Amino acid sequence: MHNPCRICGGTVKGSIDLGRHPRGNAFPRPGETADEFFYRLVVGMCDVCTMVQLLEDIPQEVRYHDEYPYHASGSAIHRRHFEEIAQGFLDTELTGPDPFAVEIGSNDGVMLARIARAGVRHLGVEPSRQVAEMSRAKGVRVLPEFFDEGTAERIRAEHGPADVMFGANVIAHISHLASVLRGAALLLARTGVFVFEEPYLGSVVEKTAFDILYDEHSFVFSVRAIQAAAERFGLELVDARLMEIHGGSMRYTLAPAGARPVSPRVGELLEKEAAQGLGEHATLEEFARRARTVRDDLTALVRDLHAQGKRIVGYGAPAKITTVTNYCGIGPDLIPFVCDSTPSKQGRLVAGTHIPVRAPEAFSADHPDYALLFAWNHAEEIMAKEREFAERGGRWILYVPDVHIV
């Protein structure tokens, strides 16, 4: 399977084929599963710019609907993280006369609320009505649209250039990335920065984190691919920092070409990526082989424990649960429910496999023998919260970087 690259027009060869999947964040209600949307989850790399991307594009209107269930404020770690980002911008970038900040995919306003409280001009661009209303309740100004070049032009005409543009776990979700980068080049002030955080290809490959692949992740970024993409649209990658959040993310900083010095971290990371083989199709093919091993091992373990009469439930229902359960063929016959703290997911079903999602109280009311931790990137926070489960002899099942029991 081959497609043209969304960034440079090169050839994208499919290297990772996880089969037929529903949308990661669909979470249908019981009785509403007859018309579920499915697509072929195939991921490949451009042979010119090395951008890793989905071969099948799911329309953004289908993915980001009015009842979109992800809330960035749902984790205490995430709340602290975004507070720190906002404060960093206030201390370093939003210090001039009448500064202006724009966040793409502002979600429930967890980052911009801090900037709003500081009295700084700001605008969140958020197309999902439910979370946009949550932003407004925090005093955040929101434009209910998708961001692209046309949106950027209108924002600049009304508000002037942006000193800061920011996006967290959203830029890699936008299949029209070329338009986003053209928009950033248009909207940024000459000394402005475009900062975004996304799951990092190097971490995904290292951890065999195949569950990061689902319909919303149109791309999985590397430093090399972002540097090449930025250059095509008059921007320059001036910094990149690896972070632990979301199981391994990279914070990229773009600026108008020539406007800022380039951090030595960029060159260091490029050298590391070359050594890791992140620009080679063979690396993705080996990743696909390891993903199949994890699938087979996890399925065998869960079925074996079930045959022994052990009770297993799921913990955490992030979008990645849809990839894991559908790829592994794990349904409610093996895992009767998964608990999650997000109210909008409770009472619904995991797309495709139809595992019921319940409130966390269902977990503590009758502790199982084993808990399959789908929200593995929050393992430390969750295990600290659920100490009683372990004290009673409960054990955690994890599958990153391989299948193991804690």
Side-chain angles (χ1 to χ4, degrees), residues 76-140:
I77 290 176
H78 284 177
R79 289 193 297 273
R80 289 194 300 271
H81 178 71
F82 289 119
E83 281 275 340
E84 291 170 0
I85 289 171
Q87 190 60 53
F89 286 146
L90 291 169
D91 292 341
T92 61
E93 303 293 343
L94 300 172
T95 58
D98 195 25
F100 179 46
V102 173
E103 182 175 8
I104 302 172
S106 51
N107 198 260
D108 59 10
V110 62
M111 196 283 288
L112 280 182
R114 174 70 186 89
I115 289 175
R117 290 196 301 272
V120 171
R121 283 195 308 129
H122 65 276
L123 184 67
V125 183
E126 174 53 63
S128 299
R129 179 180 55 82
Q130 183 186 72
V131 290
E133 288 302 323
M134 296 172 73
S135 288
R136 291 192 178 98
K138 296 173 183 175
V140 173

Side-chain angles (χ1 to χ4, degrees), residues 23-307:
R23 291 183 295 115
N25 266 313
F27 293 99
R29 295 181 177 87
E32 296 182 355
T33 60
D35 298 321
E36 283 185 282
F37 179 93
F38 282 85
Y39 70 105
R40 188 82 178 177
L41 180 47
V42 182
V43 177
M45 177 186 294
C46 175
D47 60 6
V48 176
C49 72
T50 74
M51 182 68 78
V52 173
Q53 54 200 279
L54 290 182
L55 270 72
E56 186 170 340
D57 185 25
I58 312 304
Q60 59 186 6
E61 293 80 6
V62 173
R63 294 181 287 158
Y64 302 107
H65 45 82
D66 285 345
E67 295 183 347
Y68 183 66
Y70 176 73
H71 299 160
S73 297
S75 161
I77 290 176
H78 284 177
R79 289 193 297 273
R80 289 194 300 271
H81 178 71
F82 289 119
E83 281 275 340
E84 291 170 0
I85 289 171
Q87 190 60 53
F89 286 146
L90 291 169
D91 292 341
T92 61
E93 303 293 343
L94 300 172
T95 58
D98 195 25
F100 179 46
V102 173
E103 182 175 8
I104 302 172
S106 51
N107 198 260
D108 59 10
V110 62
M111 196 283 288
L112 280 182
R114 174 70 186 89
I115 289 175
R117 290 196 301 272
V120 171
R121 283 195 308 129
H122 65 276
L123 184 67
V125 183
E126 174 53 63
S128 299
R129 179 180 55 82
Q130 183 186 72
V131 290
E133 288 302 323
M134 296 172 73
S135 288
R136 291 192 178 98
K138 296 173 183 175
V140 173
R141 184 172 184 176
V142 184
L143 177 67
E145 295 183 16
F146 290 100
F147 185 88
D148 57 20
E149 186 177 4
T151 312
E153 188 174 11
R154 293 194 302 276
I155 293 172
R156 178 156 185 148
E158 181 175 351
H159 301 280
D163 300 283
V164 168
M165 292 180 61
F166 179 71
N169 304 297
V170 64
I171 305 304
H173 297 209
I174 304 174
S175 60
H176 58 273
L177 179 59
S179 182
V180 170
L181 294 174
R182 282 194 294 268
L186 175 67
L187 181 55
L188 279 177
R190 177 60 189 164
T191 57
V193 289
F194 179 20
V195 180
F196 53 96
E197 301 178 351
E198 299 294 338
Y200 176 50
L201 179 63
S203 299
V204 171
V205 169
E206 182 180 356
K207 297 178 179 181
T208 318
F210 66 88
D211 57 353
I212 205 70
L213 306 176
Y214 53 91
D215 63 302
E216 292 180 16
H217 288 168
S218 298
F219 303 93
V220 185
F221 292 152
S222 66
V223 174
R224 176 179 172 179
I226 287 298
Q227 183 186 59
E231 289 176 354
R232 294 184 67 86
F233 301 101
L235 299 170
E236 186 173 19
L237 177 64
V238 297
D239 201 2
R241 292 173 181 264
L242 188 61
M243 301 173 298
E244 289 302 315
I245 196 164
H246 282 295
S249 296
M250 189 70 73
R251 178 183 294 169
Y252 303 93
T253 301
L254 306 186
R260 295 193 178 212
V262 178
S263 167
R265 275 186 294 268
V266 174
E268 293 164 4
L269 285 163
L270 289 171
E271 290 180 4
K272 185 177 179 181
E273 288 187 353
Q276 195 178 354
L278 291 191
E280 301 171 11
H281 291 289
T283 300
L284 295 191
E285 291 164 358
E286 170 60 18
F287 173 87
R289 186 197 64 77
R290 296 201 312 270
R292 290 191 293 271
T293 298
V294 171
R295 175 197 63 189
D296 296 345
D297 290 349
L298 181 59
T299 303
L301 175 62
V302 171
R303 290 190 179 279
D304 183 55
L305 292 173
H306 185 265

Side-chain angles (χ1 to χ4, degrees), residues 355-370:
I355 299 171
V357 181
R358 298 181 183 174
E361 290 75 17
F363 184 76
S364 55
D366 184 14
H367 282 132
D369 300 301
Y370 292 84

